[in-house]
């Protein structure tokens, strides 16, 4: 495996919290806390508060009503009686008595606020609607005149600018270093997106507490959607400020935290700005920016017609890169500050930035693999420089990893101009490590260990979700946290009465960084192409279709082992390797070659992307590339 990929095998971390057992139903009791008898003791390391006595009952609770009694279902199987009779009283009880929360993830950071998840029964008990009206849903909040909001105001509790919505934050201004804030999560208001959380919103309270508790202990307490949480995790690991050394009077002050993105937003380069950005407001209204004006680093969506030789094979086998974008972020230097514009620069592969350079001369029929020049059939390969796999036609903007790969393939590059970031660092390393460890630990709980032999790994992956459907939800949420967090780095306007050329809300965040997103996607796509080239050089096999992190090959058998070159149980160095670690691959699905040809013929689309449908073979409509 090459040094470029940073996908080294890492065993599931020994210190990762074990998943809590399936909670048993409680029986009524007059005690203020109880653990269900059938599962009285959770295993060591179960996601509760750990060693911090302030948070001994865990990071969160699901609040429900049973036989007239309000109960808080905590992580680890603990159930607390809740005496609060109103939302203000519930917030007060949470902060004074419940001992919910989570210790900070880094030295200069802040402890996580307690999270209360309210079931429909709890909503009714506390005077809240079990569903939002269409007007409330579009506004994302209850109207200011709602009685619960008035109760909070009378009790001198405040709401953030987003108001009382599905992820409401209720607080009082901090006194010194002490925070007084509780976050609510209301599943019946559609906060747990079923694309990422599956059926979590319909789980009974104890089971939902287990799912969210495992996620919280291994990733962080949810702060909103998985995308919001992915972004918040970056900040939690690299807070913008820290306490200074004591001054002459012994006082400490807030100062910039090295390695963070700081507390103030920075403008991106014009080429990195998405359409409608204020930097582009002087462009003609219907102007469409081309590759020489706009950085366009996106994941692959490429396919080609099958060759006659491939049509004689029986199957199409899809392999999928595990946590591909997380692996792309690992060890990647990214800009920490504002960009600097330079003209006719010498390319520096260690310098994050965007480069205007002509890569149309790179010929995939003759490239360097390692130190050796090899000849390939370039017509069967996608270009590594464009998402659609088309060969560039002239100068275009690229992120540093893309240009560095052209050099690696043995070709000279001469940038015309660039926007580079002299202040840079491996900002996402801690983020990657946290999410990798969470993913590996949860997959290990599902019976998929990091060090399995290839055939054993494929067997372990078969039906892994059925072994514990609740932990399978956690895996899905972890993967969504990766993709969503990176997507948030270039968040677009979301209604808000926005017009092109005007700023939108996300631009005020230091974490609005489209250049970082572009660099991660660039590196992820290049990592995949490098493996494809090494595989082709050794085996003469070429991909038929690629969609993001899924690659489809024609093969005689139904398994990845029927075309991946393993010798004595060891894979091709730097090529595809089966395993659960980020950057390694798993089996995505197998269909017949006849299926592929029939689907393409049915839609009169010889380049239909079969990777999109390889998992179960279902084709719902013609592929228009969107």
């Amino acid at each position: 495996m090459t040094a470029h990929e940073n996908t080294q095998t890492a065993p599931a971390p020994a210190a990762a919290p074990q998943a809590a057992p399936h909670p048993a139903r409680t029986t009524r009791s007059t005690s203020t806390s109880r653990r269900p008898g059938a599962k009285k003791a959770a295993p060591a390391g179960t996601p509760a508060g750990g060693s911090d006595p302030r948070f001994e009952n865990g990071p969160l609770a699901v609040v429900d009503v049973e036989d007239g009694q309000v109960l808080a279902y905590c992580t680890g199987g603990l159930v607390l009686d809740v005496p609060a009779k109103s939302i203000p009283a519930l917030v007060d009880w949470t902060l004074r008595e419940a001992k919910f929360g989570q210790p900070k993830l880094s030295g200069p950071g802040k402890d996580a606020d307690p999270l209360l998840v309210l079931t429909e029964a709890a909503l009714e008990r506390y005077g809240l609607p079990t569903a939002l009206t269409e007007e409330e849903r579009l506004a994302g909040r209850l109207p200011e005149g709602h009685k619960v909001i008035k109760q909070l105001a009378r009790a001198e509790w405040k709401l953030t600018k987003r108001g009382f919505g599905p992820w409401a934050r209720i607080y009082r201004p901090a006194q010194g270093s002490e925070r007084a804030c509780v976050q609510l999560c209301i599943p019946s208001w559609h906060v747990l997106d079923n694309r990422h959380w599956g059926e979590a919103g319909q789980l009974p309270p104890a089971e939902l507490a287990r799912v969210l508790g495992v996620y919280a202990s291994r990733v962080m307490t949810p702060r909103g959607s998985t995308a919001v949480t992915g972004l918040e995790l970056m900040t939690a690991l690299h807070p913008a400020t820290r306490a200074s050394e004591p001054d002459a009077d012994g006082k400490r002050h807030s100062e910039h935290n090295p390695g963070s993105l700081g507390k103030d937003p920075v403008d991106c380069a014009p080429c990195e700005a998405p359409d409608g950005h204020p930097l582009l407001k002087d462009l003609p209204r219907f102007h469409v920016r081309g590759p020489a004006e706009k950085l366009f680093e996106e994941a692959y969506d490429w396919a080609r017609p099958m060759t006659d030789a491939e049509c004689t094979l029986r199957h199409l086998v899809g392999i999928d890169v595990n946590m591909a974008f997380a692996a792309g972020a690992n060890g990647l230097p990214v800009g920490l500050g504002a960009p600097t514009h330079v003209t006719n620069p010498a390319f520096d592969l260690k310098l994050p930035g965007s480069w205007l350079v002509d890569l149309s001369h790179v010929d995939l029929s003759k490239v360097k693999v390692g130190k050796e020049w090899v000849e390939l059939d370039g017509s069967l390969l996608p270009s590594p420089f464009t998402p659609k796999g088309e060969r560039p036609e002239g100068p275009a903007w690229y992120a540093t990893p893309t240009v560095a790969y052209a050099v690696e393939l043995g070709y000279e590059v001469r940038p015309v101009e660039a926007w580079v970031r002299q202040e840079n660092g491996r900002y996402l390393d801690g983020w990657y490590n946290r999410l990798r460890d969470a993913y590996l630990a949860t997959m290990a709980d599902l019976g998929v260990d990091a060090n399995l032999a290839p055939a054993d790994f494929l067997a372990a992956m078969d039906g892994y979700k059925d072994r514990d459907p609740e932990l399978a939800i956690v895996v899905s949420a972890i993967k969504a946290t990766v993709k969503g967090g990176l997507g948030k780095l270039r968040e677009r306007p979301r209604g808000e009465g926005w017009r092109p050329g005007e700023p939108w809300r996300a631009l005020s965040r230091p974490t609005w960084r489209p250049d970082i997103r572009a660099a991660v996607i660039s590196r992820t796509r290049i990592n995949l192409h490098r493996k494809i080239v090494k595989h082709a050089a050794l085996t003469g096999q070429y991909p038929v279709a690629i969609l993001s992190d899924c690659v489809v090959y024609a093969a005689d058998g139904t398994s990845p082992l029927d075309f991946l070159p393993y010798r004595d149980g060891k894979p091709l160095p730097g090529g595809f390797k089966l395993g659960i670690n980020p950057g390694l691959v798993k089996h995505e699905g197998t269909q017949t070659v006849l299926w592929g040809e029939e689907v393409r013929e049915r839609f009169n689309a010889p380049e239909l992307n079969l990777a999109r449908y390889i998992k179960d073979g279902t084709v719902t409509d013609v592929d228009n590339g969107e």
Side-chain angles (χ1 to χ4, degrees):
M1 192 167 294
T2 71
H4 300 280
E5 296 169 58
N6 290 284
T7 54
Q8 65 271 21
T9 300
Q18 296 175 18
H22 283 285
R25 300 295 296 166
T26 61
T27 54
R28 293 292 296 120
S29 166
T30 57
S31 62
T32 57
S33 69
R34 51 191 178 268
R35 290 186 187 270
K39 294 281 187 184
K40 189 169 183 180
T46 199
S51 59
D52 194 322
R54 298 173 299 158
F55 311 129
E56 67 179 40
N57 291 330
L60 57 87
V62 179
V63 180
D64 192 32
V65 180
E66 194 174 296
D67 299 331
Q69 171 64 48
V70 182
L71 302 174
Y73 289 82
C74 312
T75 56
L78 177 70
V79 183
L80 302 176
D81 287 320
V82 180
K85 300 190 183 306
S86 67
I87 289 292
L90 179 64
V91 172
D92 196 58
W93 171 81
T94 301
L95 293 171
R96 290 177 182 271
E97 300 179 39
K99 295 186 177 181
F100 296 144
Q102 192 174 33
K104 58 189 178 182
L105 294 178
S106 74
K110 298 174 181 176
D111 296 328
D113 297 320
L115 176 66
L116 297 181
V117 184
L118 304 183
T119 66
E120 291 190 31
L123 293 174
E124 291 176 349
R125 178 63 165 261
Y126 290 122
L128 290 164
T130 57
L132 297 178
T133 65
E134 183 64 13
E135 185 178 351
E136 291 166 349
R137 186 187 67 79
L138 291 173
R141 62 174 74 194
L142 294 178
E144 293 301 312
H146 192 280
K147 64 180 182 180
V148 170
I149 296 178
K150 291 181 178 179
Q151 290 172 4
L152 289 166
R154 284 197 297 270
E156 298 184 341
W157 289 105
K158 297 179 181 292
L159 292 163
T160 60
K161 290 180 181 179
R162 293 189 180 274
F164 202 116
W167 288 99
R169 298 186 71 79
I170 302 169
Y171 73 98
R172 285 184 180 136
Q175 301 293 322
S177 62
E178 290 298 314
R179 288 169 60 83
C181 182
V182 172
Q183 179 148 21
L184 303 184
C185 167
I186 304 176
S188 66
W189 293 5
H190 304 295
V191 296
L192 299 176
D193 189 329
N194 57 19
R195 292 173 301 172
H196 311 139
W197 290 103
E199 300 301 314
Q202 286 73 53
L203 289 175
E207 285 77 359
L208 179 56
R210 177 180 183 245
V211 168
L212 293 176
V214 172
Y215 178 89
S217 68
R218 293 178 177 176
V219 180
M220 70 181 294
T221 304
R223 294 288 305 272
S225 67
T226 49
V228 168
T229 304
L231 197 69
E232 291 287 340
L233 180 61
M234 296 179 197
T235 306
L237 293 165
H238 287 287
T241 59
R242 67 179 184 184
S244 68
E245 292 297 319
D247 61 16
D249 297 324
K251 292 184 178 179
R252 295 180 184 268
H253 306 276
S254 176
E255 67 177 16
H256 175 73
N257 182 29
S260 77
L261 299 182
K263 58 185 179 62
D264 299 315
V266 296
D267 274 338
C268 60
C271 63
E272 297 162 353
D275 293 339
H277 191 279
L279 287 174
L280 310 175
K281 64 183 178 182
D282 294 330
L283 288 178
R285 184 176 178 186
F286 296 108
H287 178 73
V288 177
R289 293 184 295 161
E293 300 170 277
K294 179 181 180 180
L295 179 70
F296 192 63
E297 294 284 11
E298 298 294 341
Y300 267 131
D301 185 352
W302 169 86
R304 62 168 175 81
M306 282 185 271
T307 65
D308 291 344
E310 287 166 341
C311 287
T312 65
L313 302 176
R314 291 182 295 172
H315 295 100
L316 296 170
V317 183
I319 53 177
D320 180 77
V321 182
N322 295 310
M323 300 267 284
F325 294 99
N330 182 29
L332 176 67
V334 298
L336 301 178
T340 301
H341 185 244
V342 291
T343 55
N344 298 315
F347 175 66
D348 183 350
L349 59 80
K350 296 180 179 178
L351 194 57
S354 300
W355 308 79
L356 180 61
V357 59
D358 188 350
L359 300 180
S360 60
H361 63 292
V362 177
D363 183 3
L364 293 181
S365 64
K366 186 177 182 182
V367 296
K368 262 190 175 180
V369 176
K371 296 180 179 180
E372 301 292 326
W373 285 93
V374 298
E375 294 188 1
L376 303 171
D377 188 341
S379 68
L380 301 180
L381 287 169
S383 167
F385 310 125
T386 61
K388 291 288 185 182
E390 299 160 340
R391 188 168 180 166
E393 296 180 352
W397 285 99
Y398 303 102
T400 297
T402 302
V403 186
Y405 187 54
V407 176
E408 181 185 331
L409 291 176
Y411 290 85
E412 185 181 10
V413 296
R414 293 181 179 176
V416 178
E417 61 176 301
W419 291 88
V420 295
R421 289 169 169 83
Q422 301 291 349
E423 183 190 357
N424 57 73
R426 291 165 57 157
Y427 175 73
L428 294 172
D429 275 12
W431 184 81
Y432 163 79
N433 288 333
R434 181 85 178 170
L435 290 163
R436 176 203 62 194
D437 291 352
Y439 177 67
L440 292 181
T442 311
M443 289 302 294
D445 288 338
L446 286 163
V448 185
D449 189 74
N451 297 310
L452 293 173
D456 295 335
F457 167 71
L458 292 173
M461 286 295 293
D462 189 19
Y464 77 92
K465 294 180 180 180
D466 299 330
R467 291 175 205 139
D468 190 330
E470 291 164 20
L471 287 185
I473 291 173
V474 177
V475 170
S476 171
I478 292 169
K479 292 195 286 188
T481 303
V482 172
K483 287 191 175 182
L486 293 171
K488 276 279 184 183
L489 291 169
R490 201 188 77 141
E491 184 177 357
R492 301 302 307 277
R494 303 176 65 182
E496 307 168 10
W498 174 79
R499 292 182 178 181
E502 296 177 351
W504 58 92
R505 183 184 299 165
L507 298 189
S508 64
R509 295 192 323 246
T511 49
W512 193 83
R513 292 294 302 273
D515 57 298
I516 295 179
R517 173 187 176 273
V520 173
I521 293 175
S522 161
R523 191 157 183 257
T524 302
R525 194 183 66 245
I526 293 306
N527 282 349
L528 184 60
H529 196 275
R530 184 182 293 111
K531 289 182 169 70
I532 289 168
V533 165
K534 289 193 175 181
H535 184 84
L538 183 73
T539 68
Q541 297 169 334
Y542 295 83
V544 171
I546 311 172
L547 183 67
S548 189
D549 45 12
C550 175
V551 188
V552 175
Y553 283 92
D556 254 333
T558 59
S559 166
L561 287 174
D562 291 317
F563 71 92
L564 292 182
Y566 273 79
R567 291 177 181 170
D568 301 323
K570 294 184 178 181
L572 163 70
F576 294 109
K577 178 182 178 182
L578 289 164
I580 200 59
N581 274 277
L584 307 189
V585 298
K586 62 180 181 292
H587 184 202
E588 179 70 3
T590 296
Q591 305 298 329
T592 64
V593 167
L594 288 176
W595 164 86
E597 289 295 275
E598 187 275 327
V599 166
R600 285 178 163 179
E601 188 174 323
R602 190 195 325 163
F603 292 111
N604 192 27
E607 296 184 9
L608 181 79
N609 195 334
L610 300 174
R612 182 172 275 110
Y613 317 109
I614 196 72
K615 188 162 192 158
D616 60 10
T618 303
V619 184
T620 52
D621 205 348
V622 66
D623 176 8
N624 62 7
E626 292 296 322

